[in-house]
Amino acid sequence: MTESSTPTMQDALLALQRYWTERGCMIMQPFNTEVGAGTANPATMLRVLGPEPWHVGYVEPSVRPDDARYGENPNRLQTHTQFQVILKPDPGNPQELYLGSLEALGVDTEAHDIRFVEDNWASPALGAWGLGWEVWLDGLEISQFTYFQQAGGLVLDPVSVEITYGIERIIMALQGVDHFKDIRYSDGVSYGEIFGQSEYEMSRYYLDDADIEATHRMFDTSAAEADRLLDLRLPSPAYVHVLKCSHMFNVLDARGAISTTERAKAFGQMRSLTRRVAQLWAERREELGHPLGVVEAAPAATAGELPTVSEPATLLFEIGLEELPHADVSTMAGSVRDSLESKLAGTRLAHGEINACATPRRIIVQVADVAPAEPDAERTVRGPKTSAAFGEDGTPTKAAQGFAGKHGVSPEELSRVEADGVEHVAVVRTEQGRTAPVVLADLLAKLVGELRADKNMRWRDPKLSFSRPVRWLLALLGETPLPVAVSSLVSGTTTRVHRTAAEPEVQVTSADGYLEFLAGHGIVADAAERRRTIVGAATELAASVGGTVDFAGEAGLVDEVTNLVERPNPILGGFAERYLELPEQILTTVMRKHQRYLPVRGESGLLPHFVAVANGDCDVDLVREGNESVLRARYEDAAFFWRADLKRKPEELREGLHKLTFEERLGSMADRADRIARVGVALGATTGLSGADQETVARAGALAKFDLASQMVVELSGLAGTMAREYALRAGETPAVATALAEMEQPRGAGDKLPESNPGAVLALADRFDLLASLFAIGANPTGSSDPFGLRRAAGGVVTILRATPAASAITLRAGLEAASAEVASQGSTLSDEALAEAHEFIVRRYEQQLLDADHEHRLVQAVLPLADAPAVADTTLAELEKRINDEDFAALVAVIQRARRIVPEGTEPAYDADRLTDQAERDLHAAVAEVSDRLSDTTTLAEFTTIAGPLVAPINTFFDEVMVMAEDSELRKARLGLLATITGLADAVLDWRAL
């Protein structure tokens, strides 16, 4: 676009108001007190409650003190402009309406790459959440699109659609400017000329000059006033004061004046007040008789008359959706296929192979050679015993007559069957097979109704709940339309292709060749084919600039991108070489996390290039330019954070941890960092680290977690540890300390890099032992799939580090937990003996799972689990056990130990009076046991035990052959059992022999 053809910001706001007005929305005004987002305006937060319809659009200046940057950052503003739209109820085509609004802004939706990328929104303080997307324009997030599920703690019915436009972002992209100050607000007037002064001055106020005590008083005053107004049943003014509380809290937060305790208290107050407001608002609207009316439920669909078929045919069933999260794309094809297979198995309908595939907008199942009908089946209904059905003269009794009459036959037509050796009368019924359309219409409707993902939502469809809305169904049996009705949906014979296509909805005439049909419309249904396209094209593009893409290292990202598009269109982009001066991890993290770009590498490291994957046809040059602009802005942000962080010493940043809450009952991140430091020193002493390594542990512990308070890590949390190393080095810390600070965060997950230095390993263990001990102490154990603090990951990390770090071999699970528990107790939370045992068992189970995942034999894993307190010892024992398990001598030793164990009652004391043993066989065994016992120690390995205890095999066998263990003389019996218990006790320290 030329400057004259691109809209000014004023033009854009007017265009959006006009567009949504023409589609039935009222235009309201910004709220008259500060809000952090358009969502907080009562026109959204309160109006989404209850059953009344509500269609509205409005401009909302959104105030976020923590984003204040004195007007220096090109993309961050303490006050930015949103345009908010609420559609209640869901109109059924909100995405299409949204795309129309972009065209009204002058966006060429065919030329640009516009995508809906998963974004699940939640505001615990407001008791609100919803599922939806970020909307990307050539890689730039320009809007949030949410289906509200709950607000103020109330479940929403009907569900509202919320669309929030980031106006400055959209206009910067359309006008091609790199700084918000350069936006043309109106003809001849720039954004900076209007707002530059206030941006600087409000930043000064929020970050430097706001009176902390006065702001605290304003918060308390507004909270008290909201409470008073709620008691007066005045929800509207009460909510105004809740918003004032929220803004005062944000000001205090930006000033760094909120302690851990104050943060938890303030959030609790605001959450409670908001929920009370929501409940009272809903009550008041009901009392007023819902003046705007009540939304009627969508009518249930009817399938219509079912067709008849006479030949086997292919079944095609497509579930059409709004864009699924990438993780659901990868799982739902298999899930739907398995569900269909299971349901068909419960019928008599013959069929061939079942295949399924998925894209972000469709789940497709195809079943070959579906029979036209089920075969008829005979069913035998058993009646009374023959002896009770006929008299001695063969006359039918009342029992036989009643049974026969119930089934419409004469007594003479009853047959005979035998059950458990007893003859009964019976009726043989023929069940006529159902036609394929009858079977499939019911079965497929149930399949759709039962769709579920990890996170599910509702929309305007009363009986459906799924990851994202189901918008259409396509069902064909060969060339015959198959009516399937579920909730308000009924299947048809059309599918939807790219929204920007000349015909976005196309007719489908046959189930056969459907994937090829889609390919003809620019849709690659098979995920494996989409992935091959991405890898092949990205390889060529990277090679064109002398680089490569690490597809193995980027496998997770490639999988994600594969399932974000229906037709991959890889595009090579670039960025200024000056950004390569930033640490590589910053650059690649921004590419991966924010943009889903594939980094391009050369022989000497990262190249100033990337591969973006667009969806379908587009103007490649335009899309490349847009993605490059987005990345440039991201890197400018990163450079801003980098420079700002480097101005502060690590010690100063660490002080900022006092403002970060870890867990309300466990204090701040500073409290947690202090615990980690002390646990690290204690564990370091246990391992016998060198003096230099102990000094490194102490110094790195003193700085533990400091980078969590840096602007870079607040923005890019995945760089925790990485930035600690970079900032520590530049602050003059030793490379050893910097490395330990980075390695403390490793491993971040299964298969991740492990600490290589001993101090790094010790601090990583201290970190994870503290996490486990502290959270088990307060009962925050993982439950089911809920693990908000990543305790499973932490336990796996402990095990992995201990298995891989010889220098840490002296650290046991119990010792680590006890060291951490002591520090937790010093801050007021006690890890009970029961909780300690639970935490210990929790880690042991992660070790067990690691072994099973590595395909070790289950019984051998169980045999070494008693040694799991020291995972490296258990590993060594398992390796030795796997070598010896088929050895005859070892098998003989196992056999005699097991034989002894079987005869010894549970709880028998492993001690005996040797003078009671008089038979030669038992005296010989006693001598052999004494000799073996003298040679064993607490550190005896399985290999050593096998060699030392091997001589016991013969005397134990002789003992059992010649001695009656359960002698009548109780003292003699006790001595013999004690001798055997001594043998099993010696063996128990090495292995759980029972598992073998």
Side-chain angles (χ1 to χ4, degrees), residues 715-951:
E715 182 71 14
L716 297 168
S717 59
L719 289 175
T722 298
M723 299 320 301
R725 179 185 61 223
E726 298 295 336
Y727 293 149
L729 285 172
R730 284 159 179 79
E733 299 293 338
T734 66
V737 168
T739 297
L741 285 166
E743 291 181 338
M744 185 173 146
E745 303 296 335
Q746 298 170 351
R748 289 179 168 84
D752 192 29
K753 185 178 180 182
L754 296 175
E756 295 180 1
S757 73
N758 292 335
V762 166
L763 283 170
L765 289 168
D767 182 350
R768 288 152 181 79
F769 277 128
D770 172 75
L771 193 66
L772 291 157
S774 62
L775 289 163
F776 270 82
I778 62 171
N781 311 18
T783 56
S785 61
S786 176
D787 186 11
F789 289 95
L791 293 183
R792 292 185 179 92
R793 185 170 60 248
V798 165
V799 169
T800 306
I801 294 168
L802 289 176
R803 295 178 70 188
T805 312
S809 60
I811 301 174
T812 63
L813 304 184
R814 185 166 296 279
L817 287 170
E818 288 176 346
S821 175
E823 296 303 330
V824 172
S826 72
Q827 293 183 352
S829 297
T830 302
L831 186 67
S832 65
D833 291 343
E834 180 181 352
L836 177 64
E838 287 180 4
H840 186 274
E841 179 67 10
F842 182 75
I843 305 174
V844 168
R845 290 305 156 199
R846 304 316 294 174
Y847 174 64
E848 176 186 23
Q849 192 59 53
Q850 285 187 10
L851 295 182
L852 294 175
D853 288 346
D855 292 328
H856 292 286
E857 189 178 344
H858 183 267
R859 68 186 179 115
L860 305 188
V861 171
Q862 299 307 305
V864 302
L865 272 191
L867 308 177
D869 193 47
V873 173
D875 279 352
T876 302
T877 303
L878 178 60
E880 185 66 30
L881 183 58
E882 289 174 332
K883 284 197 311 186
R884 293 178 178 270
I885 193 63
N886 295 317
D887 178 77
E888 290 185 5
D889 292 339
F890 183 73
L893 179 61
V894 172
V896 296
I897 292 173
Q898 297 288 54
R899 191 174 183 186
R901 183 178 299 284
R902 283 194 296 271
I903 203 171
V904 176
E906 191 75 27
T908 300
E909 186 74 18
Y912 57 96
D913 182 355
D915 292 338
R916 292 283 183 178
L917 305 176
T918 56
D919 288 0
Q920 187 60 45
E922 59 191 0
R923 298 296 301 174
D924 290 345
L925 180 57
H926 161 65
V929 167
E931 182 179 347
V932 167
S933 181
D934 288 342
R935 297 177 61 190
L936 297 177
S937 71
D938 292 341
T939 60
T940 299
T941 66
L942 177 61
E944 293 167 341
F945 179 83
T946 302
T947 301
I948 295 170

Side-chain angles (χ1 to χ4, degrees), residues 355-645:
N355 290 300
C357 55
T359 77
R361 292 189 68 201
R362 66 200 73 236
I363 303 168
I364 302 164
V365 261
Q366 294 172 295
V367 185
D369 302 321
V370 177
E374 296 175 313
D376 295 342
E378 286 192 343
R379 182 169 67 92
T380 300
V381 183
R382 193 175 70 194
K385 296 176 183 178
T386 303
S387 59
F390 297 98
E392 293 181 2
D393 60 354
T395 303
T397 64
K398 288 184 178 180
Q401 292 171 0
F403 176 70
K406 178 181 178 181
H407 292 283
V409 298
S410 67
E412 290 73 20
E413 294 177 281
L414 294 175
S415 59
R416 308 288 199 276
V417 295
E418 188 174 298
D420 298 325
V422 179
E423 188 178 71
H424 293 252
V425 296
V427 173
V428 178
R429 312 291 299 177
T430 299
E431 288 191 353
Q432 186 173 1
R434 298 171 296 169
T435 67
V438 170
V439 173
L440 294 172
D442 177 62
L443 182 151
L444 294 174
K446 288 179 179 177
L447 186 149
V448 175
E450 294 169 4
L451 280 175
R452 292 296 182 273
D454 288 341
K455 292 182 180 178
N456 298 289
M457 58 169 280
R458 295 168 298 107
W459 56 101
R460 196 184 181 187
D461 213 310
K463 295 182 181 179
L464 296 182
S465 174
F466 189 46
S467 174
R468 293 297 185 272
V470 179
R471 291 304 188 190
W472 78 90
L473 301 174
L474 164 64
L476 287 169
L477 194 54
E479 297 180 359
T480 303
L482 178 64
V484 177
V486 53
S487 192
S488 64
L489 285 173
V490 63
S491 64
T493 57
T494 62
T495 188
R496 301 182 191 180
V497 293
H498 293 291
R499 294 187 180 95
T500 55
E503 293 184 43
E505 188 168 340
V506 294
Q507 193 74 29
V508 182
T509 58
S510 174
D512 294 306
Y514 184 60
L515 300 192
E516 292 76 13
F517 173 86
L518 286 177
H521 287 274
I523 291 170
V524 182
D526 181 61
E529 186 178 343
R530 294 198 300 274
R531 197 180 201 282
R532 285 192 297 271
T533 299
I534 292 170
V535 170
T539 299
E540 291 183 10
L541 291 170
S544 71
V545 291
T548 60
V549 174
D550 178 10
F551 292 109
E554 306 291 352
L557 179 58
V558 175
D559 289 342
E560 179 178 351
V561 173
T562 296
N563 290 323
L564 287 175
V565 296
E566 289 207 297
R567 181 192 166 202
N569 183 3
I571 296 171
L572 181 69
F575 55 89
E577 290 194 22
R578 69 177 185 275
Y579 294 120
L580 293 174
E581 297 171 5
L582 292 170
E584 181 179 306
Q585 292 91 336
I586 294 176
L587 303 178
T588 56
T589 298
V590 168
M591 286 192 213
R592 294 188 194 101
K593 178 185 176 183
H594 286 296
Q595 302 305 136
R596 280 72 161 185
Y597 296 159
L598 296 169
V600 177
R601 301 178 185 279
E603 292 182 1
S604 58
L606 196 65
L607 294 179
H609 296 283
F610 62 90
V611 176
V613 181
N615 183 35
D617 292 333
C618 60
D619 182 328
V620 171
D621 291 334
L622 180 66
V623 173
R624 176 189 298 111
E625 181 182 345
N627 280 276
E628 289 176 343
S629 177
V630 174
L631 190 60
R632 182 168 58 249
R634 293 285 190 189
Y635 284 170
E636 280 298 317
D637 268 355
F640 178 88
F641 299 144
W642 172 253
R643 292 190 297 269
D645 290 339

